[in-house]
Amino acid sequence: GGSTPSRAGREPLDPESPVLEWRHVSMLDSADFDSKITFNTDKVILVVVAAGDKQCAALCLSAVRTLEEVVGGSGGEGGITGLVLDLDSCSDLLVTSLMVCNIPSILCFSNGDEVERLIGAPNLRIMTEIVQKVGALRKGQKGSGRTWAAGRSVSVLRKDWNGVEGADGDVFYFGIVDVLQPYTLKKQLEHSIKALVQDKNKMTIVEPSQYSQRFQAYISSIVI
């Protein structure tokens, strides 16, 4: 898909960024994702970057700087290419398909398929290992498909989904997950059918008085 305006009013990655001056890493336009990643028969390492946040920018620059050093040191061995994708300028469709929840994330592709994913800004040793690992894959090999933490990262959910960050860095989300509905004939029939295969005491669809008693008992057990 094509580029879209930045999310949450953040500026896209600065075109004057030193990233663009580096010899072994280049920017990836989201419109070129399919041609350079999906239908590419070479190995590719993709660093996903979100711009406009100082904490994100520092971690992303660290990841890209390390990737530049490792890819440059490999001398093109294994067909490794370093690319940087600005998540803020991607189409919603591409963001959803990539399912990136932390910045930076390093998505490793081989022959168009994602074979491994690193979350966070890795150090030189970890980046070297992953480049060697992806570079050694033969055509048709799928890799481990692992997703693992390689360093510090920032949750994009906190920015874009109105999460609340706790004291220890955890992110919490609040919302309505269920609503009360009238106990209609349809619900009574549903209760009768499910009662044949489920425990009646654990069913969510029960007559109002039973639901009320169970709900009050539960609230009392966690509050009082």
Side-chain angles (χ1 to χ4, degrees):
S3 297
T4 57
S6 299
R7 287 168 175 73
R10 299 196 296 276
E11 292 298 320
L13 197 64
D14 184 359
E16 302 300 323
S17 167
V19 173
L20 298 179
E21 300 173 4
W22 293 345
R23 297 174 56 194
H24 306 289
V25 176
S26 58
M27 294 297 298
L28 172 65
D29 190 312
S30 62
D32 297 329
F33 188 89
D34 283 339
S35 62
K36 291 189 175 182
I37 303 291
T38 309
F39 303 120
N40 193 347
T41 58
D42 294 327
K43 283 92 174 183
V44 176
I45 287 188
L46 168 65
V47 179
V48 180
V49 178
D53 179 287
K54 290 183 178 179
Q55 187 179 6
C56 275
L59 292 173
C60 291
L61 284 174
S62 173
V64 178
R65 193 176 295 118
T66 304
L67 179 62
E68 161 77 9
E69 183 174 349
V70 173
V71 174
S74 70
E77 198 173 313
I80 296 294
T81 303
L83 298 173
V84 179
L85 179 66
D86 181 2
L87 199 65
D88 284 341
S89 64
C90 292
S91 66
D92 291 334
L93 180 61
L94 181 57
V95 171
T96 303
S97 65
L98 291 177
M99 295 188 291
V100 173
C101 296
N102 291 78
I103 299 297
S105 288
I106 301 173
L107 282 60
C108 307
F109 290 86
S110 177
N111 304 304
D113 295 317
E114 185 178 341
V115 294
E116 197 143 353
R117 179 177 299 207
L118 281 67
I119 305 299
N123 58 31
L124 186 61
R125 178 184 62 81
I126 294 176
M127 186 72 84
T128 300
E129 289 177 357
I130 197 66
V131 166
Q132 292 174 343
K133 186 175 180 180
V134 175
L137 288 175
R138 295 187 301 275
K139 189 169 185 179
Q141 284 187 302
K142 296 298 184 182
S144 68
R146 287 180 58 206
T147 296
W148 51 287
R152 292 181 56 222
S153 65
V154 177
S155 169
V156 298
L157 302 183
R158 184 176 67 244
K159 296 175 178 57
D160 296 337
W161 291 5
N162 300 316
V164 178
E165 185 172 12
D168 297 325
D170 296 320
V171 182
F172 300 90
Y173 302 90
F174 303 90
I176 298 173
V177 296
D178 200 0
V179 294
L180 295 177
Q181 299 182 32
Y183 193 60
T184 60
L185 178 60
K186 179 180 177 180
K187 292 295 181 183
Q188 293 177 45
L189 291 173
E190 187 175 349
H191 169 83
S192 299
I193 294 172
K194 288 186 175 182
L196 298 174
V197 294
Q198 296 181 13
D199 185 344
K200 293 182 179 180
N201 296 319
K202 295 182 179 180
M203 291 175 54
T204 58
I205 301 175
V206 295
E207 56 93 17
S209 61
Q210 183 181 348
Y211 188 94
S212 174
Q213 293 173 8
R214 190 170 63 187
F215 181 79
Q216 291 180 60
Y218 173 72
I219 294 297
S220 297
S221 70
I222 62 173
V223 175
I224 300 177

